[in-house]
Amino acid sequence: MTGTTLAQKIIARAAGRQNVTPGEVVTVGVDLAMIHDSGGPRRVEPILRELGVGLWDASKVVLISDHFVPGDTEEGARILDLTRDWASKRGVAFHDGQGICHVVLPERGHLKPGMLVVGGDSHSPTGGAFGAYMFGVGATEMAGVLATGEIWLKVPETILIEWSKQLRPGVVAKDIMLALCGRLGMDGGRYQAVEYTGDAIAALSMQERMTLSNMAAELGAQVGLIAPDATTYAFLDAAGSGAVEDASLRTDRDASLGEHHVFNAAELAPQVAAPHSPANAMAVEDAPRISLDIAYIGACTGAKYEDLKNAAAILRGHSLAPGMTLLIAPSSKRDQDRAKKEGIMRVFEEAGARILPNACGICAGYGADRLAAESRCISSTARNFKGRMGDPTAEVWLASPLTVAASAIAGEIADPRDYLHRREVA
Amino acid sequence: MARIFRFGDNVDTDQLAPGQYMRAGIETIAAHCLESVRPDFASSVRQGDIVVAGRNFGAGSSREQAAEALKHLGVAAVIAESFAGIFYRNAINLGLPAIVGSKIEAVEDGAECELDLETSALTVEDEEIALEPIPDNLKVLLKDGGLVPHLKKRFAEAQS
């Protein structure tokens, strides 16, 4: 008998089957459903009412407010009120103003390897970093899940993406993802299962792995999986998830794969992606030296504790270029508190950065803060679509938190490796 | 007669449902649908018109207002060389047919057309173009008018 992939194993278990085959359509039971303030209560409650049903299992639903936090518009504030009311009426776990859903969910111990999880947000593949089959859906489909506890999916092929050797100093998970978007394109994932593997991946911290899984969305994959290992279980233990080690949660050596790509991590340079697509990736040394107004470190993709630490290591002892605005929106309150304790937030404050709420902020572009016309921004977020973060004439370059920090100092796109000599040992 | 509204590759959800209007209702979002790439779209599209696009239509966010806005404006179907996975599911769930077509490259903007959902055939100015069939499980959803009516029916059947 040939082996199976991690994706097949999780789906088979959730479908109550011995085995599933790529291409077949199956109905699976959902272990956990995550919703946020935008696609959540305001959209699903009218549908549940129309159907005349309640939640299939309130203990398996987690609600997190992040898109309209801090409620800086009248409608946004009203949506947040509605969200809070719903949480108490429906009796679900609710994390309000604690940070961005994809970061808060694992941080608070809700995720475990092997789970089948549905999230009401496109960056839901982030949960794949923990070996959970987690994918994003829209609000109507989420309402269906909340009503029935079930969802259909087409069993995916696995696109194995292997990074051998080790990343060089100044190069991080975000650079891997921008390079992959450039190489494979925004539809390279074909809505199949991407799985990351190799020595470079094994060496990454959980939050760095989350960046890889998060941007499986930008590859157009349904999920971005990483088989759980000692690093995963150490993180989940500390988060109080109660996860139990399961050595079978991995892709068998003889499993048949849709694609297998191998890249050498040691050869990867820091990347930037030109407006208006993450697929416009290039090595930082090949980027034009255009001047910039705004440096943004934010989002689930690029402002977790590790991201903040990496950016601060570049910024320490430097000041911002004249006319430069540096905005920092830490992904979660807990990550910001830790960064504060370790002196990281002080580095940002001393550099003159403006600290924004622990929320989706300018990345989602749902609130009052938006990029002005003709502005030029370098951002640690995942998407630089035209008009997403502000005016359609604004230009957004994507990069790692280190490259964003280096560019904030230089006033133009800059190579973080030029600032590494100042980096302190963490 | 239905008309074609032609778009290229990677039409994203920020173009379909711009973030700054996401706190508003669907009327407002629909009024700004695709305005960053085609400012006259919302004002000129009519009931029954068809959107034809290239690869990866609906890339980006899970916001279903991206599909809902098109439906609200009267778009009868979206035909594309490929779809972003979440948009595709959202469209079907809302009862908006999303159909993959590999031979649609030559289809031009403004052309008059007719779409047969049963046979997945698009006729553009007397030329019939075969599209990929809608998968069986999704055909059921579309026939019921989307996921909500489908579930209603299912719940009613379970009770009787």
Side-chain angles (χ1 to χ4, degrees), chain B residues 65-133:
Chain B
Q65 288 92 330
E68 195 183 3
L70 292 172
K71 201 181 174 206
H72 186 84
L73 293 171
V75 171
V78 183
I79 300 166
E81 287 171 44
S82 67
F83 288 93
I86 304 178
F87 176 90
Y88 181 79
R89 295 181 73 119
N90 284 343
I92 304 281
N93 284 327
L94 292 168
L96 173 68
I99 309 166
V100 178
S102 53
K103 298 171 215 153
I104 54 174
E105 212 168 306
V107 173
E108 284 181 9
D109 187 65
E112 295 200 325
C113 67
E114 210 164 341
L115 174 66
D116 186 334
L117 281 174
E118 270 308 307
T119 60
S120 272
L122 177 72
T123 307
V124 184
E125 283 156 5
D126 296 331
E127 192 200 341
E128 190 177 295
I129 302 168
L131 308 172
E132 285 186 23

Side-chain angles (χ1 to χ4, degrees), chain A residues 265-295:
Chain A
E267 289 172 3
L268 184 69
Q271 303 282 306
V272 293
H276 299 282
S277 169
N280 295 340
M282 63 191 86
V284 68
E285 58 257 40
D286 298 331
R289 301 283 136 188
I290 62 155
S291 66
L292 300 160
D293 318 301
I294 297 171

Side-chain angles (χ1 to χ4, degrees), chain A residues 52-385:
Chain A
V53 295
L55 302 179
W56 106 96
D57 187 342
S59 72
K60 291 180 177 172
V61 180
V62 178
L63 170 63
I64 297 166
S65 61
D66 56 11
H67 276 63
F68 291 104
V69 172
D72 56 5
T73 63
E74 201 186 315
E75 301 101 314
R78 213 181 54 238
I79 291 165
L80 285 174
D81 285 344
L82 182 155
T83 303
R84 289 166 187 142
D85 282 354
W86 191 87
S88 60
K89 267 184 207 141
R90 291 290 190 181
V92 302
F94 180 37
H95 302 289
D96 189 15
Q98 298 300 299
I100 305 171
C101 59
H102 308 296
V103 178
V104 172
L105 192 74
E107 170 192 285
R108 305 300 168 112
H110 293 291
L111 280 182
K112 287 183 215 178
M115 277 181 149
L116 193 302
V117 189
V118 173
D121 190 272
S122 62
H123 283 112
S124 297
T126 310
F130 298 88
Y133 196 96
M134 181 164 181
F135 62 104
V137 297
T140 297
E141 186 140 43
M142 179 57 78
V145 169
L146 296 180
T148 65
E150 291 179 347
I151 193 165
W152 69 270
L153 53 82
K154 192 170 171 182
V155 180
E157 291 177 358
T158 288
I159 300 173
L160 197 66
I161 297 182
E162 183 177 340
W163 285 82
S164 66
K165 308 276 176 52
Q166 295 299 322
L167 292 169
R168 310 286 297 172
V171 186
V172 292
K174 179 65 178 290
D175 299 306
I176 288 182
M177 289 316 300
L178 291 177
L180 287 175
C181 287
R183 288 286 285 272
L184 305 176
M186 281 197 73
D187 54 358
R190 299 184 287 115
Y191 204 49
Q192 305 298 307
V194 157
E195 183 179 337
Y196 304 100
T197 184
D199 291 345
I201 310 301
L204 292 178
S205 69
M206 274 326 293
Q207 288 199 329
E208 279 283 270
R209 294 181 189 184
M210 285 164 70
T211 304
L212 300 180
S213 296
N214 176 278
M215 285 191 69
E218 277 57 52
L219 290 174
Q222 184 173 43
V223 292
L225 303 173
I226 300 173
D229 61 9
T231 303
T232 321
Y233 290 109
F235 182 104
L236 291 174
D237 274 355
S241 76
V244 179
E245 284 201 39
D246 179 353
S248 73
L249 284 173
R250 56 180 171 75
T251 291
D252 299 325
R253 277 179 197 282
D254 57 345
S256 91
L257 301 170
E259 296 171 35
H260 184 182
H261 302 274
V262 184
F263 302 96
N264 183 345
E267 289 172 3
L268 184 69
Q271 303 282 306
V272 293
H276 299 282
S277 169
N280 295 340
M282 63 191 86
V284 68
E285 58 257 40
D286 298 331
R289 301 283 136 188
I290 62 155
S291 66
L292 300 160
D293 318 301
I294 297 171
Y296 187 70
I297 293 176
C300 47
T301 313
K304 301 178 289 297
Y305 162 76
E306 294 269 342
D307 300 315
L308 300 175
K309 188 176 86 173
N310 287 335
I314 300 290
L315 267 177
R316 193 167 281 128
H318 288 279
S319 50
L320 302 181
M324 171 65 66
T325 300
L326 174 62
L327 303 172
I328 314 248
S331 310
S332 82
K333 187 173 182 302
R334 205 174 267 187
D335 278 1
Q336 181 170 345
D337 289 346
R338 183 174 173 197
K340 193 174 174 189
K341 230 176 255 166
E342 295 179 14
I344 291 166
M345 294 310 293
R346 217 170 90 201
V347 173
F348 298 137
E349 282 152 23
E350 282 173 0
R354 203 177 122 210
I355 310 299
L356 302 177
N358 307 120
C360 301
I362 302 174
C363 177
Y366 283 18
D369 262 342
R370 288 174 60 79
L371 298 182
E374 314 279 331
S375 54
R376 277 181 174 166
C377 172
I378 187 160
S379 175
S380 69
T381 56
R383 289 178 187 147
N384 54 350
F385 299 156

